[in-house]
């Protein structure tokens, strides 16, 4: 597969990369990168020969995507619909599919108020867009600092709270039906106060801080709250759907920036400095 236009800077901000800890596996190859978009130049034995020449995204590889040519397992490849650029396809393929998969597990019926953490990040931004499509009435986001808060508002969040300020959880409006939790650690527990007693739920799908949320059954039961740990088992099933939505202009790809592959280090630095608001794309 030829990475015609794009490759992806994948963040490693999560610290849970040691053996046996989620969410990231260790790199299986010397070359970084496990998401790419490009054109199939050669099809291996057993794979569908019709893929030759197809524009595809390749997801969840064990590494090797920071390159001009890469080998991807056939099951990792999804065709890109006409009209969607490679950059936009790779911006949507992992994070929007993740958001769709997480939303499927939130038990939404329409009319809810939801809280989405890391609202200026790609998964957060897609959660907001897709939640609206599912009838959510009010979308509150959290982000760190003025620039990220402004970006979240620009992307359609109704209200935003700065999660870099001490005690920020007390500024989250009460009456939230679902918290989409991805930071983890000790910051999650105080958010339970914002959830509607009896029906409120916290859907956990990430641990940016490096730890799962410190929430115990005793924190939930007396208030009738529940905690759902979202699985990614169905994420591949959501990929074609979100690519099609983006191709029809019904989902906005969230791109922070695009840099030449030679500037991969700059891309990583941008991510580590928490400056990225969306996907960083590398162009081979
Ligand atoms: N990417 C995927 O395909 C995928 C799949 C499954 C699960 N997830 C999970 O979804 C969550 C969001 O993913 P994403 O790709 O959209 O990432 P992201 O939101 O871009 O994550 C990075 C951002 O997290 C925020 N953050 C909050 N607390 C932080 C802390 N303690 N240290 C560093 N950064 C912190 C920072 O934004 P502020 O400056 O606003 O604080 C930072 O820029 C992650 O937990 C990830 O594990 C992602």
């Amino acid at each position: 597969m030829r990475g015609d236009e794009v490759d992806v800077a994948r963040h490693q901000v999560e610290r849970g990369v040691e053996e046996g800890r989620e969410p990231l596996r260790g790199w299986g190859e010397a070359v970084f990168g496990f998401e790419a978009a490009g054109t199939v130049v050669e099809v291996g034995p057993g794979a569908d020969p019709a893929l030759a020449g197809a524009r595809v995204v390749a997801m969840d590889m064990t590494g090797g995507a920071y390159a001009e040519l890469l080998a991807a397992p056939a099951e990792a490849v999804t065709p890109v619909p006409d009209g969607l650029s490679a950059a936009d396809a790779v911006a949507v393929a992992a994070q929007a599919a993740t958001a769709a998969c997480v939303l499927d597990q939130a038990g939404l019926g329409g009319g809810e108020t939801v809280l989405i953490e890391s609202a200026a990040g790609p998964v957060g931004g897609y959660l907001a867009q897709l939640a609206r499509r599912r009838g959510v009435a009010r979308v509150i986001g959290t982000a760190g600092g003025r620039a990220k808060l402004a970006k979240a508002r620009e992307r359609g969040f109704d209200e935003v709270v700065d999660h870099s300020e001490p005690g920020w959880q007390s500024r989250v409006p009460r009456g939230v039906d679902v918290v989409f939790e991805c930071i983890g650690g000790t910051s999650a527990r105080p958010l339970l106060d914002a959830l509607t007693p009896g029906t409120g739920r916290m859907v956990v799908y990430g641990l940016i801080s490096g730890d799962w949320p410190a929430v115990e059954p005793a924190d939930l039961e007396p208030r009738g709250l529940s905690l759902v740990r979202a699985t990614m088992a169905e994420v591949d099933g959501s990929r074609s759907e979100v690519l099609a939505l983006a191709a029809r202009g019904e989902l906005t790809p969230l791109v922070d920036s695009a840099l030449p592959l030679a500037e991969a280090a700059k891309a990583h630095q941008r991510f580590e400095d928490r400056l990225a608001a969306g996907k960083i794309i590398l162009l081979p």
Side-chain angles (χ1 to χ4, degrees):
M1 178 177 153
R2 190 180 71 233
D4 297 323
E5 299 177 45
V6 291
D7 201 347
V8 175
R10 170 66 189 186
H11 65 74
Q12 296 184 77
V13 69
E14 293 116 327
R15 286 181 282 120
V17 294
E18 306 102 80
E19 189 67 32
R21 289 192 59 197
E22 293 192 63
L24 294 182
R25 298 171 297 245
W27 297 106
E29 305 282 338
V31 178
F32 275 10
F34 61 1
E35 301 170 12
T39 305
V40 178
V41 291
E42 195 177 317
V43 179
D48 181 359
L51 278 171
R55 295 172 63 243
V56 297
V57 288
M59 295 288 120
D60 292 331
M61 294 176 298
T62 52
Y66 285 21
E68 292 167 350
L69 285 168
L70 62 101
E75 62 273 14
V77 158
T78 307
V80 173
D82 290 344
L84 190 65
S85 71
D88 284 349
V90 85
V92 160
Q95 281 79 16
T98 296
C101 177
V102 170
L103 280 167
D104 286 342
Q105 297 166 69
L108 297 172
E112 288 90 352
T113 294
V114 301
L115 177 75
I116 297 172
E117 292 177 325
S118 202
V123 179
Y126 292 126
L127 277 171
Q129 290 188 54
L130 295 168
R132 294 272 192 219
R133 291 181 62 83
R134 295 175 191 217
V136 163
R138 184 179 176 204
V139 182
I140 306 165
T142 82
R146 291 173 67 171
K148 294 266 185 95
L149 294 169
K151 182 62 77 176
R153 275 204 172 279
E154 192 184 295
R155 291 179 178 166
F157 283 79
D158 297 308
E159 290 143 78
V160 288
V161 175
D162 190 338
H163 65 208
S164 65
E165 291 177 356
W168 61 270
Q169 294 92 338
S170 66
R171 288 188 280 284
V172 173
R174 311 291 94 162
V176 172
D177 298 296
V178 183
V179 168
F180 290 97
E181 157 63 36
C182 67
I183 295 177
T186 54
S187 74
R189 191 162 165 239
L191 281 176
L192 299 177
D193 294 342
L195 282 170
T196 302
T199 56
R201 53 231 183 252
M202 178 173 276
V203 178
V204 177
Y205 68 96
L207 61 159
I208 294 175
S209 68
D211 296 303
W212 290 106
V215 173
E216 302 295 333
D219 301 321
L220 302 164
E221 282 162 19
R223 295 190 257 183
L225 304 176
S226 53
L227 185 141
V228 177
R229 182 168 158 182
T231 78
M232 296 300 151
E234 304 299 328
V235 72
D236 291 341
S238 301
R239 187 153 297 123
S240 297
E241 173 201 338
V242 295
L243 287 167
L245 284 174
R248 293 200 300 268
E250 295 172 29
L251 183 73
T252 304
L254 302 174
V255 176
D256 170 80
S257 48
L259 295 169
L261 179 56
E263 294 184 19
K266 199 185 275 184
H268 281 257
Q269 195 61 54
R270 184 166 174 78
F271 193 86
E272 285 168 24
D273 291 343
R274 294 170 70 159
L275 295 173
K279 195 81 167 172
I280 304 176
I281 293 169
L282 296 178
L283 309 170

